[in-house]
Amino acid sequence: MDVSYLNTFLAVAGWPNSSKATGQLNLFQQTVTARIKRLEASLFLRGAAGAGHTEARVRLQGYARSIVQLSEFAQRAVTVTDQASPSQHAKGR
């Protein structure tokens, strides 16, 4: 699963509708809608009142937070490593 989909999932889960999440994610509504449609079969129940919660959605929410945080941590760690001087890279080999 793409981490960006998990970010979208968490943003939508935090709002009563996906239009609020678009602002938080800085994405077009169409992008958020497309991502959610790919997830909603197993995670959301659509009704007249909007997105409901399934048991799978509640379980995934905790995992999604952990995965997104770990992904962000790894990106920062790699960025710091990539910014080290060439002599530091040579010493590490």
Side-chain angles (χ1 to χ4, degrees), residues 6-83:
L6 294 175
N7 274 323
T8 302
F9 166 74
L10 290 171
V12 171
W15 293 100
N17 61 56
S18 63
S19 63
K20 296 282 187 183
T22 60
Q24 178 182 338
L25 295 166
N26 212 15
L27 295 172
F28 291 109
Q29 178 67 41
Q30 296 158 323
T31 304
V32 172
T33 300
R35 288 178 181 179
I36 295 305
K37 281 185 178 184
R38 292 195 63 172
L39 294 171
E40 76 180 351
S42 60
L43 304 177
F44 293 101
L45 297 173
R46 284 269 169 209
H53 305 295
T54 65
E55 189 175 321
R57 178 217 172 266
V58 172
R59 281 194 309 261
L60 180 61
Q61 199 166 356
Y63 287 114
R65 280 191 189 102
S66 297
I67 292 166
V68 168
Q69 288 172 347
L70 184 58
S71 174
E72 290 169 354
F73 177 78
Q75 284 180 314
R76 284 191 301 274
V78 170
T79 301
V80 169
T81 301
D82 286 347
Q83 292 175 356

